[in-house]
Amino acid sequence: MSTESALRADIVEVGRRMYARGYTASNDGNISARLGADRLLMTPKSVCKGFMTPDMMCVTDLEGRKLQGDRDPSSEMLMHLEVYRQRPDVQAVVHAHPPIATGFAVAGIPLDRAVLAEVLTTLGSVPIAEYATPSTRELPAAVAKYIKAHDGMLLANHGALTAGADLFSAYYKMETIEHFAKISLVARLLGRENLISREEVMRLQQLRGTYGVAAPAPICPDPSEAASTARAADDPATCQVVQAPSGDGRRLIPGVLDGAAHRPGEGGPDGEGEIRLTYRELSALIEEAVRSLR
């Protein structure tokens, strides 16, 4: 099987997995991959990603001109092209609407809290690109602000975008974002998140090389300063903002909720931020969370 034939088959498989996992519905989502130095292989518009065939794919150049294919390329091609322009190391791009992660995007909540060591070593943090009308030039401009420093991001009121050194790497990062979002949602519903300390976050960053993880940018040493500087200058991000409190020798900071730390089992002042559930409600919530994670 030729390289192009194999890549077409792999795109079909990734599309099938996305649809089977509920990351897309109807004709949502799009996938692309480099096909040589100056060509891309891309999913067509108006096709369900769960029922594609290899012959449906389009071949375009890096300017978006169709070179081959009976169908037109994805209507969100401009977003993909921007990623490839900004990141010569990227070989594939995946866009989908995974429900939990997209819920965070709709709520305007980035997935940037230091909760899971595995996410910190693979993705670092998952920011939110500003809302832009899909299929317009606004969207690649919003993506450009974060893509140099991140392999994955949420798109405000839209979905998620991931990039990788190969097609399955980009897809697995989409899986990681949705898995991270599910766990974060459950922890917040249960009332608190025990965050990894900033000192431990920096230790995990040093282990990236040991794990063979090539991160596009380091974790910001001071997230508040980095974020305010980027907003003020409207410049592309140069490091990854991770919300992690100082540990003072501790590796985990217990009971962190809405930026305040308190002892496990306690709410904030006067019960602020506390979630009260009956045993039956809590049991039902946990059962549903476990089912969704399988």
Side-chain angles (χ1 to χ4, degrees), residues 54-76:
D55 60 289
M56 291 181 178
M57 305 308 151
C58 305
V59 178
T60 75
D61 63 16
L62 293 178
E63 299 300 319
R65 291 183 287 264
K66 187 173 76 171
L67 304 177
Q68 182 183 338
D70 296 331
R71 300 168 181 263
D72 290 332
S74 168
S75 60
E76 294 185 313

Side-chain angles (χ1 to χ4, degrees), residues 1 4-24 30-33 41 43-44 48-57 94 167-172 175:
M1 186 183 293
E4 181 174 338
S5 296
L7 195 54
R8 286 173 179 266
D10 286 345
I11 291 177
V12 169
E13 174 61 18
V14 167
R16 185 194 65 80
R17 294 188 189 191
M18 286 167 51
Y19 186 71
R21 285 182 171 270
Y23 294 177
T24 61
N30 28 79
I31 306 163
S32 67
L41 197 60
T43 51
C48 177
K49 304 308 171 293
F51 299 94
M52 296 187 296
T53 56
D55 60 289
M56 291 181 178
M57 305 308 151
V94 172
L167 179 58
F168 280 97
S169 172
Y171 166 70
Y172 289 143
E175 282 193 351

Side-chain angles (χ1 to χ4, degrees), residues 63 86 167 186 224-225 235 237 257:
E63 299 300 319
Q86 298 287 341
L167 179 58
V186 170
S224 59
E225 181 179 341
D235 288 334
L257 181 64

